[in-house]
Amino acid sequence: MKYMQIKTIQSVALTYLGVIAMSVISGCETDETQTVATFTNLVLDENFDNDGAPNDQVWGFDIGNGIDGWGNQELQYYTDRPENVTIQNGVLLITAQQESFQGSEYTSARLLTKDKFEQQYGRFEARIRLPFGQGIWPAFWMLGADIDENPWPGAGEIDIMEYRGQNPTVLIGSVHGPGYNGGDAISKEYTLENDRFDTGFHIFGIEWGPDFVNFYVDDVLYNQITPEDVNEETDGEGVWVFNKPFYILMNLAVGGTFVGSPNAETEFPQTMIVDYVRVYKNNAD
């Protein structure tokens, strides 16, 4: 996902930054050689155990409809109301409603850890059950913490998971930076075989080091992006910007250029259900 566009299981115990040959079973092809890291120090463990509003020591909110629907012509108005974001029975509920509100036809929520929790490198994961339907666009992603001084795409973006609700078996992991952003992001899809992402929980994660970003679904490593990939994909014009702290975002958008608008078959409300968010770092960091 583009910024203004808005847009596990711990890995096998191998030496940090050790390169190994491995075979990965998934719905997608993957390279035979991947860099696999072990991050064992848990530094953020959000289990959403307390009913009510999210912990304001960790989570803030984007409010409103942004500029041109957050740059994508999205249709929702983001709020911090309990109708759109609340914790119940040990899970975080981010809910898109069809309602007239502040000039928009839909409401939802977008949470972020900016200025509250930011980290360079590590494992970032969340266990989520996704919503479904034409025009429904959930995402779990990250932005460079220097975005106020270094506007997107210079700050960089990592989309751990984004998904079109009308295609509930396929998700996308991407990176965006100078020379590769928006529709030209470096991306890969993952297809869930014989199942759908809206019928149960799955763990979406990345493992991120100085020279790689690995993308996971549950315990499957399905993609790795490196500076060499950026160089190759952009004919040397792209810049690797994933060497600084990033913060986390979670949101549920409605409509926009990525998914199109809801139609008569789209049911509301739709809810993105988050069981936990966890972040690890290397013991040496």
Side-chain angles (χ1 to χ4, degrees), residues 186 211-212 224-234 236 240:
I186 300 175
D211 299 310
F212 67 93
Q224 176 175 95
I225 300 174
T226 68
E228 290 75 18
D229 296 321
V230 168
N231 185 67
E232 181 178 346
E233 292 284 340
T234 64
W240 182 261

Side-chain angles (χ1 to χ4, degrees), residues 190-204:
Y190 178 87
T191 299
L192 188 63
E193 300 292 345
N194 303 314
D195 203 351
R196 294 163 50 125
F197 286 110
D198 62 312
T199 59
F201 286 91
H202 293 272
I203 298 168
F204 308 104

